[in-house]
Amino acid sequence: MTAQAVSQAAAMTPKTPPLPEAKPETLGLSRPRLQAMSDAFKREIDKGTVPGVTVLVARRGQVGWFEALGKQSPAGSAPMARDSIFRIFSMTKPIVSVGIMALVEDGHLLLSDAVAKFIPEFANQKVGVVSAGKLELVPAKRAMTVQDLLRHTSGLTYEHQGDGPVHKIYQDSRVRSRRITNAEHAALVASFPLVCHPGAEFNYSRSTDILGRIIEVISGKSLGAFLTERILAPLQMSETGFSTSEANAGRLAEPFTADPRTGDKVALFNMLEQPVMESGGGGLVSTTMDYARFALMLRNGGTLDGNRIIGRKTLELMASDHLGPGVVTNGTLLAPGHGFGLGFAVRRDAGIAPFPGSVGQYFWSGIAGTFFWIDPKEDLFAVFMSQGPGQRDFTRTLVRDLVYAAVD
């Protein structure tokens, strides 16, 4: 099935079935504190920091709070709705990471396999080292592995994660184009120098896009077709894909045209346009309930409604820290007390970080303002959606503070 056919099929399927709901009090959640959370986001909306948000909080496998606040788009009058459609950007990564681990479970690859085994262009990679103000290329000390891609220790990067000479190579290339194929994108990234030796540093990167290409190589299908077959359809995530139908044009959540804080122009991709490049690192669009079904599958240890997506022990491996003390964590994406697993950030310490949580909690977010987390200790998960790129750090911390304040 082509990517276009997958998108059309998704548009014709029924809307995502809801998850079971219960009164907050029966789930050990404080209704007054959840109302305080709602009031806090209403204040932010009234101040003009975000157009609108959705917040879903579930505990013990049931939804205790699900609210849509504000407007769906600042240019329209439609209120934000439970079924509004969002660009989830990097919340695509956990879904693709589960997809690659499903292939590991099928015996098609090992985490220790070299990436070049599946994409030959990644053989004999060079590392870019700045010496006397010039970029020098030195051989990588070891091959980049599938595990490196999953935990972002591959030596790849994102063009917006720095301003060094390697980042500028990314910036000056076609790597951001939605009009190149996944194969062309992977070959292009393989032609760039690495920012470090594989395994030496955590650098948030286009690694999951490369995992998406590996899925295509192994499965012989487009990334969209594979994800639909193995994850989205079994979970009844009928409104998640690399684009959405024109029939859904009235349900799209949009950001302010300019950032409320800086005034910088905000330009996000068109959700109605089917891209050539199906970005495993950031290309999916979804709804709050669709992603909640994915989160509930994770909470359940890999199953939902009798469909096993991933094994319990495989998921346990994914939600464990894979960095350890020997890996340098560059940038600010990982808060103090946190590491990174195979597709998720993982909380290692109860303290240190400037927000609440539990050891073993795992999560990730999207650059446009979406966020989710799973807390096994509290048997809790939450999904937060908005389209406010400049406010994402603030809203991620705010929603964590307010949800945990409601846990009895």
Side-chain angles (χ1 to χ4, degrees), residues 375-395:
D375 187 330
K377 182 178 179 181
E378 295 292 344
D379 195 3
L380 176 147
F381 70 84
V383 180
F384 174 85
M385 298 282 201
S386 79
Q387 301 284 253
Q391 288 64 53
R392 64 186 184 276
D393 290 334
F394 171 72
T395 53

Side-chain angles (χ1 to χ4, degrees), residues 104-295:
V104 171
E105 288 191 331
D106 289 346
H108 289 296
L109 76 163
L110 304 177
L111 291 179
S112 57
D113 280 342
V115 176
K117 178 178 178 179
F118 309 98
I119 308 174
E121 290 91 338
F122 279 94
N124 304 313
Q125 289 250 268
K126 299 293 191 296
V127 179
V129 177
V130 178
S131 178
K134 294 183 178 180
L135 181 66
E136 296 183 1
L137 302 183
V138 300
K141 293 179 180 178
R142 67 162 176 81
M144 178 195 305
T145 67
V146 174
Q147 185 183 24
D148 286 322
L149 293 176
L150 282 158
R151 66 186 180 184
H152 294 277
T153 57
S154 60
L156 304 179
T157 188
Y158 267 123
E159 54 278 7
H160 57 269
Q161 288 295 311
D163 57 3
V166 174
H167 297 96
K168 289 177 180 175
I169 292 173
Y170 276 72
Q171 292 163 11
D172 293 339
S173 74
R174 297 182 64 217
V175 76
R176 294 181 299 279
S177 174
R178 285 162 51 85
R179 300 179 183 277
I180 60 176
T181 66
N182 286 33
E184 290 169 332
H185 173 272
L188 184 60
V189 171
S191 73
F192 302 154
L194 304 178
V195 292
C196 68
H197 291 279
E201 302 176 3
F202 171 88
N203 287 285
Y204 195 49
S205 69
R206 291 186 169 272
S207 289
T208 318
D209 287 317
I210 306 307
L211 288 173
R213 177 56 187 160
I214 291 176
I215 286 174
E216 292 186 336
V217 171
I218 292 174
S219 70
K221 302 171 182 176
S222 72
L223 179 58
F226 176 87
L227 294 180
T228 297
E229 179 184 305
R230 294 297 295 267
I231 300 173
L232 305 180
L235 294 180
Q236 298 186 69
M237 296 171 64
S238 61
E239 303 203 90
T240 301
F242 287 103
S243 65
T244 191
S245 165
E246 187 72 39
N248 293 325
R251 297 171 53 204
L252 308 183
E254 298 292 352
F256 292 116
T257 55
D259 185 277
R261 182 173 56 87
T262 65
D264 293 340
K265 183 179 178 182
V266 177
L268 305 180
F269 68 80
N270 179 2
M271 289 188 270
L272 302 179
E273 180 183 81
Q274 175 67 42
V276 176
M277 166 72 184
E278 295 186 331
S279 170
L284 287 176
V285 305
S286 189
T287 64
T288 310
M289 184 54 72
D290 260 36
Y291 214 89
R293 293 186 67 82
F294 178 71

